[in-house]
Amino acid sequence: MARTKLIPDTDILYTVRQRMIEGGARAASFSAISTATGLSAPALVLRFGSQPKMCQAALRAAWTELTSRANAELSTTKNVQSFLKHQADYVDIPILLALSQADPTSLAAASQWRATIETTLAKYFGDGAQGRHRAGLVFAAWQGRLSWTAAGGKTFRLGEVIRNLP
């Protein structure tokens, strides 16, 4: 008979993701996650198989969570800037994307998240070719700003980009 899991996988994967964001995949060793969660390293091996598989599961879970959050917030945010601010408050997206580059499944989940964000943005700009084009431009500007803010501060205001769209 299977034992009851005292700590859900979602909690463990959140811990793995946080460790990876702070220090890369090496920071999410079985030993480190064991210490952080109180589970033994063998218990983690039984759940995930290997450390790379555990990290991949954490990345996929993060992108799935981000996609769900984007879908849920469409009806609760008033404008593009508010919507994007809520997305960026969640997790360090550029680091998450960089970590996902090594795993095709995680990268596919990241691509699905991007498609969800752009589809959502297009709803603000009006569905159609023009709305999708604007959504792509805003997404690129937003991600560029997120990526470079840590390296030198805010270089532009996203609202200005949105107001000056073609």
Side-chain angles (χ1 to χ4, degrees), residues 37-164:
T37 62
L39 292 173
S40 68
L44 293 169
V45 171
L46 285 174
R47 283 195 194 196
F48 301 105
S50 68
Q51 189 266 354
K53 287 181 181 177
M54 179 176 67
C55 291
Q56 290 166 354
L59 291 170
R60 287 190 305 272
W63 290 116
T64 299
E65 192 173 332
L66 281 166
T67 301
S68 295
R69 182 182 175 128
N71 284 325
E73 288 184 0
L74 174 60
S75 62
T76 62
T77 53
K78 297 177 184 178
N79 59 43
V80 171
Q81 290 168 275
S82 177
F83 173 74
L84 293 176
K85 182 179 182 329
H86 283 99
Q87 302 308 305
D89 285 347
Y90 175 67
V91 69
D92 196 331
I93 294 168
I95 292 175
L96 194 61
L97 181 59
L99 291 167
S100 297
Q101 298 295 316
D103 175 38
T105 307
S106 298
L107 197 54
S111 294
Q112 178 59 46
W113 169 78
R114 178 184 178 168
T116 300
I117 295 294
E118 287 188 5
T119 299
T120 301
L121 292 175
K123 291 182 189 321
Y124 288 106
F125 296 118
D127 289 324
Q130 180 95 10
R132 288 189 303 276
H133 177 70
R134 287 179 173 183
L137 291 173
V138 169
F139 181 86
W142 174 58
Q143 286 297 290
R145 182 171 182 215
L146 284 179
S147 297
W148 288 99
T149 296
K154 298 176 182 176
T155 56
F156 65 88
R157 300 178 71 103
L158 193 55
E160 291 173 15
V161 171
I162 294 167
R163 281 190 296 281
N164 294 310

Side-chain angles (χ1 to χ4, degrees), residues 7-41 43-45 47-62 65 91 95-96 99 106:
I7 300 174
D9 286 351
T10 54
D11 292 354
I12 296 166
L13 295 175
Y14 176 81
T15 301
V16 172
R17 179 177 70 221
Q18 291 308 111
R19 294 292 170 124
M20 290 175 70
I21 287 171
E22 293 167 6
R26 290 185 184 186
S29 66
F30 279 136
S31 175
I33 302 307
S34 174
T35 300
T37 62
L39 292 173
S40 68
L44 293 169
V45 171
R47 283 195 194 196
F48 301 105
S50 68
Q51 189 266 354
K53 287 181 181 177
M54 179 176 67
C55 291
Q56 290 166 354
L59 291 170
R60 287 190 305 272
E65 192 173 332
V91 69
I95 292 175
L96 194 61
L99 291 167
S106 298

